[in-house]
Amino acid sequence: MSNISFSDLVGKTILIGLTYYTADNEFIEQKQYWGTVIESNENRILVKLNDGEILGLPPDLSSTKIAPPGEYHLRSTGEVVVDPDYLTTWNINRPKED
């Protein structure tokens, strides 16, 4: 279980990994983002991404952990993020199409 609270995240840098799968668990794509957490509570987590966009995440801290210091190379963009505060990863299954 995570020792991270919602209030810990606010104002901190977070690296986000989203992996998309079909309804049958076939890999589609992986996307990576980073930014600053601007809101974090039991209802939602909002991140202002480095490009200014706002990304909403579910209010679930089980996939969030403290980031070990270092350089993180984002495969999807080529960017390098140095010493983010937190890491979070999500697997997303797309719904079956009719």
Side-chain angles (χ1 to χ4, degrees):
M1 185 162 143
S2 171
N3 291 329
I4 299 168
S5 70
F6 288 111
S7 62
D8 291 339
L9 299 179
V10 177
K12 303 294 183 174
T13 301
I14 191 165
L15 185 59
I16 304 160
L18 304 178
T19 305
Y20 293 90
Y21 296 92
T22 66
D24 297 322
N25 286 325
E26 293 179 23
F27 175 80
I28 299 173
E29 67 179 334
Q30 184 178 50
K31 293 187 176 184
Q32 296 167 304
Y33 304 94
W34 69 277
T36 303
V37 178
I38 57 173
E39 182 178 334
S40 177
N41 55 48
E42 300 80 18
N43 298 313
R44 64 184 178 183
I45 297 171
L46 294 180
V47 180
K48 184 173 185 179
L49 300 177
N50 64 307
D51 65 3
E53 293 290 318
I54 303 295
L55 178 66
L57 297 172
D60 179 352
L61 299 175
S62 64
S63 68
T64 302
K65 63 181 184 176
I66 295 172
E71 292 185 351
Y72 293 80
H73 297 261
L74 281 61
R75 287 185 299 272
S76 59
T77 65
E79 293 175 274
V80 176
V81 180
V82 178
D83 296 336
D85 298 297
Y86 295 97
L87 305 174
T88 188
T89 57
W90 293 87
N91 292 330
I92 303 162
N93 287 79
R94 300 266 166 110
K96 251 196 202 311
E97 296 182 11
D98 295 333

